[in-house]
């Protein structure tokens, strides 16, 4: 159900299972952000350690680019967000691990791309 789907099920060790559900009205855009530091001779091109802030005009979400995961696991260096489908513009702020902050404006259309790459050189600030 795109209006009230399960977002996350967490089973912490020795604790009750937690179920997080989407309860906002209306369908969602589900978007994945990847970072790309396109400067020459940079070792951390995927922005490991970056803090990403996504502002849709009504709420702000915070995510971190990390490869840590469950016990002995790893995950891709990307962040996932759900945005109400009536939102047409996002402001994304990236605090890069080496200090600089960049801002990116994302405009949505009916055929929104599900994976968006935020290039450091394409900042609006």
């Amino acid at each position: 159900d795109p209006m009230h789907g399960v977002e996350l099920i967490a089973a912490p060790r020795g604790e009750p299972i937690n179920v997080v559900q989407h309860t906002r009205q209306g369908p969602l855009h589900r978007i994945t952000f990847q970072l790309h530091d396109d400067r020459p001779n940079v070792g951390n091109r995927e922005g490991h350690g970056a803090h990403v802030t996504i502002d849709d005009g009504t709420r702000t979400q915070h995510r971190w680019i990390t490869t840590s995961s469950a016990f002995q696991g790893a995950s891709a260096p990307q962040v996932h967000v759900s945005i109400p489908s009536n939102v047409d513009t996002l402001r994304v702020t990236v605090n890069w691990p080496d200090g600089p902050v960049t801002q990116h404006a994302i405009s949505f259309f009916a055929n929104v791309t599900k994976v968006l790459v935020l290039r450091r050189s394409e900042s609006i600030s």
Side-chain angles (χ1 to χ4, degrees):
D1 177 5
M3 293 186 65
H4 295 95
V6 172
E7 292 288 321
L8 173 73
I9 297 177
R13 191 173 192 172
E15 295 181 25
I17 292 176
N18 297 313
V19 178
V20 178
Q21 274 189 301
H22 163 65
T23 57
R24 293 184 75 139
Q25 295 298 315
L28 297 171
H29 292 302
R30 297 185 197 288
I31 304 163
T32 300
F33 288 103
Q34 296 176 338
L35 301 183
H36 181 69
D37 190 339
D38 48 3
R39 295 175 301 157
N41 303 316
V42 172
N44 184 9
R45 292 204 179 279
E46 296 172 328
H48 296 266
H51 175 234
V52 181
T53 305
I54 303 99
D55 182 359
D56 67 18
T58 60
R59 70 178 177 158
T60 302
Q61 300 181 55
H62 299 272
R63 301 289 189 275
W64 287 263
I65 299 288
T66 177
T67 58
S68 62
S69 186
F71 179 68
Q72 293 185 343
S75 61
Q78 56 192 16
V79 296
H80 306 277
V81 295
S82 295
I83 305 295
S85 63
N86 63 345
V87 170
D88 58 4
T89 304
L90 291 178
R91 185 168 196 86
V92 181
T93 304
V94 179
N95 291 53
W96 293 87
D98 60 336
V101 176
T102 59
Q103 294 189 354
H104 308 265
I106 309 297
S107 294
F108 291 97
F109 302 97
N111 203 3
V112 67
T113 304
K114 299 298 183 192
V115 178
L116 298 173
V117 177
L118 301 177
R119 298 183 193 290
R120 189 165 174 164
S121 66
E122 295 174 354
S123 169
I124 61 171
S125 64

